[in-house]
Amino acid sequence: DSENKYFWRMNSRRMEAEVVRDSILYLSGQLDLTRGGPEIPETDGETVPRRSLYFRNTPNEKMGMLEVFDVADPNSCYQRKESVVPHQSLAMMNSGLTLDNARLIAEQLSATDGDFVIAAFETVLSRRPTDAEVVRCQTFLQQHEKLLNEDATEKFLAGGTARRAPAADPEMRARENLVHVLLLHNDFVTVR
């Protein structure tokens, strides 16, 4: 049934723009689920944790991150296009909202008992990592922590809109970076 004629499975698709943003906030426990209220300026999308549907979306005023992920077009009766393009991952990578929440998720997962890599995969990607993924992630954490400990060169100041500073502890900083990478993973934005 390669054409899914009998609907025995769901075809994979990318999450809608608003769901991507709201999912990041939800995973860190920051999503404000308050119902109703006035529309919020789209310029506050990186800092206000309200659900994405409350932000202004007009032909001239769209939240940048949502626009990259094909937010509903007000000029076309709010129809959606669906694209999967490299700049979507770049937008997430450079988003202050994504960075801040990755750091918060890593902090929350580090406070629990158990294997950090498995917990990060289950939290962010809703699946257990393969054995190969566990090995790669543990290797990354060890090498990245070592690199951060050894690197005494002067650092460039971080740019962007992130409000939460990266951890000073190299082990925690490596964990924050791993969670950030998982948020950029295709499995995070794909509904299967």
Side-chain angles (χ1 to χ4, degrees), residues 46-64:
E46 291 277 322
T47 57
V48 176
R50 290 291 307 273
R51 290 188 55 213
S52 298
L53 68 97
Y54 292 108
F55 288 90
R56 186 176 300 125
N57 183 23
T58 68
N60 298 325
E61 300 168 309
K62 297 177 184 175
M63 192 185 313

Side-chain angles (χ1 to χ4, degrees), residues 136-153:
R136 275 183 271 172
C137 289
Q138 288 172 341
T139 302
F140 166 79
L141 290 173
Q142 292 166 356
Q143 290 177 348
H144 197 56
E145 180 182 353
K146 183 179 176 189
L147 180 69
L148 291 169
N149 273 323
E150 292 174 355
D151 190 10
T153 59

Side-chain angles (χ1 to χ4, degrees), residues 9 12 17 25 33 65 69 71 75-77 81 88 91 107 110 112 117 128 142 147 155 165 176 189:
R9 64 174 168 81
S12 296
L25 289 165
L33 297 171
M65 182 178 173
F69 280 92
V71 70
N75 283 335
S76 299
C77 297
K81 292 182 276 179
Q88 291 167 337
E107 181 182 307
S110 294
T112 61
V117 172
R128 289 185 66 81
Q142 292 166 356
L147 180 69
K155 312 276 188 293
E176 291 173 349
V189 295

